[in-house]
Amino acid sequence: MSLIINWNDFTPISALIGGALIGIASVILIATKGRILGISGIVGSLLQRTNTPQDHYRWRIYFICGILLAAVIGNVLNLLPKLDISSDYSTLIVGGLLVGFGTRMGSGCTSGHAVCGLGRLSPRSLVATMTFMASGFLTAYVFYHLI
Amino acid sequence: MKNYLTLFAGFVFGFGLIISGMSNPNKVINFLDITGNWDPSLALVMLGAIPLAFLGFRWIERSHKTIFNEELHLPGKDHFNPSLLIGSLLFGVGWAITGFCPGPAIVAMGLGSVKAIIFIVSMLIGMLINDRILKLVLKSN
């Protein structure tokens, strides 16, 4: 077991710029809509059926359309790196179930806890982020090296 | 106007995911797999995002209102329960085996990736299992 940094794939500048855009997006949403940019919360709330005023759905749908628009435009401008998905279908299904279930149970994912929560210096989000990062690192080790 | 700003926020977020490399599952896996051929890029995504979020949230939370003078919907910061830990733990497992978290999966779906669509449908089912079934079971006990 050793740590080898893959300098060929290391993209520090685009990672920092992309990260900055993610941070800016979270500020735009809180400043204009008063909402936390948390994708699992935004998507999960769309599945809610009871006691929901129209705006409950509206802003969330606009937000998701914005993401889809970025994907489409990014694709047209050829900005997107080649999408590498090596997982097979059964892994995607199990992983999807775990991500959906886990993010709702844990009240957030990478965007809500790790970007907004840590940005707000929330101890709750720090605990959540450390938990899913640790779980992610450990699982990657087990899944890609042991089994 | 506000709806278009929300759309714009989604657009900037999606663009950020694309540029940063977060929307590419194998890059995410190469970050989580430290003992493989480690690509530390995604740590820098956090480094780029969090300081700006910090400044923005500090500014807006001090004014207690949005720029349109509407209320803020802010979750609590100090509420700990087993669900937070168990949920985050399970999320980490799903994230590592697929390289997808919810935001990037939406980007990949926008590209028409069938694999991303399969992931998203499973994710929605996982969400419903937690929101509808688990909460009902817990309530009945």
Side-chain angles (χ1 to χ4, degrees):
Chain A
M1 190 166 138
S2 60
L3 197 153
I4 305 155
I5 294 185
N6 180 352
W7 295 108
N8 288 332
D9 290 343
F10 186 46
T11 49
I13 306 295
S14 56
L16 276 170
I17 294 171
L21 288 173
I22 293 169
I24 290 167
S26 76
V27 176
I28 298 173
L29 194 65
I30 193 72
T32 63
K33 192 64 199 167
R35 293 286 180 170
I36 295 284
L37 196 169
I39 302 303
S40 59
I42 290 173
V43 173
S45 300
L46 283 175
L47 301 171
Q48 205 175 298
R49 282 289 166 271
T50 44
N51 300 323
T52 38
Q54 212 188 359
D55 190 57
H56 174 91
Y57 300 110
R58 194 189 285 135
W59 77 266
R60 292 181 168 93
I61 290 169
Y62 270 92
F63 186 83
I64 290 171
C65 286
I67 302 178
L68 294 172
L69 194 66
V72 171
I73 292 180
N75 198 25
V76 170
L77 297 180
N78 224 355
L79 275 178
L80 277 153
K82 180 170 56 78
L83 208 58
D84 274 333
I85 311 174
S86 12
S87 313
D88 54 26
Y89 291 143
S90 54
T91 306
L92 287 165
I93 292 171
V94 173
L97 287 169
L98 285 168
V99 169
F101 184 86
T103 52
R104 290 302 285 169
M105 190 181 204
S107 314
C109 58
T110 351
S111 49
H113 278 314
V115 175
C116 297
L118 295 188
R120 295 176 65 214
L121 309 180
S122 155
R124 175 175 162 79
S125 287
L126 180 64
V127 168
T129 305
M130 290 197 310
T131 307
F132 64 67
M133 294 296 297
S135 160
F137 287 132
L138 197 69
T139 303
Y141 180 66
V142 173
F143 195 70
Y144 300 108
H145 297 280
L146 300 184
I147 54 176
Chain B
M1 170 68 183
K2 264 177 266 174
N3 286 333
Y4 290 110
L5 285 167
T6 303
L7 182 91
F8 181 64
F11 181 78
V12 174
F13 177 69
F15 230 71
L17 289 177
I18 292 167
I19 291 175
S20 66
M22 280 289 298
S23 60
N24 194 358
N26 277 4
K27 194 168 175 73
V28 174
I29 289 170
N30 286 341
F31 167 70
L32 290 174
D33 184 11
I34 300 181
T35 59
N37 216 350
W38 195 44
D39 175 0
S41 307
L42 298 194
L44 296 177
V45 179
M46 293 290 163
L47 204 68
I50 295 168
L52 290 173
F54 169 74
L55 293 173
F57 276 101
R58 204 167 68 146
W59 157 60
I60 209 78
E61 284 192 56
R62 278 186 182 163
S63 70
H64 301 289
K65 292 281 179 194
T66 69
I67 55 170
F68 299 109
N69 214 25
E70 289 174 334
E71 66 172 313
L72 304 175
H73 303 265
L74 295 168
K77 295 180 178 177
D78 302 301
H79 174 60
F80 298 98
N81 47 13
S83 303
L84 183 76
L85 292 176
I86 300 167
S88 299
L89 196 84
L90 296 174
F91 163 44
V93 174
W95 187 32
I97 65 174
T98 59
F100 272 132
C101 54
I106 296 177
V107 172
M109 186 179 75
L111 297 172
S113 155
V114 175
K115 286 187 164 181
I117 293 169
I118 289 172
F119 177 88
I120 296 253
V121 171
S122 311
M123 181 180 89
L124 294 176
I125 295 169
M127 288 180 165
L128 285 171
I129 293 174
N130 179 72
D131 293 7
R132 303 276 163 86
I133 300 170
L134 185 76
K135 285 190 180 148
L136 217 69
V137 173
L138 292 179
K139 222 179 268 178
S140 68
N141 284 336

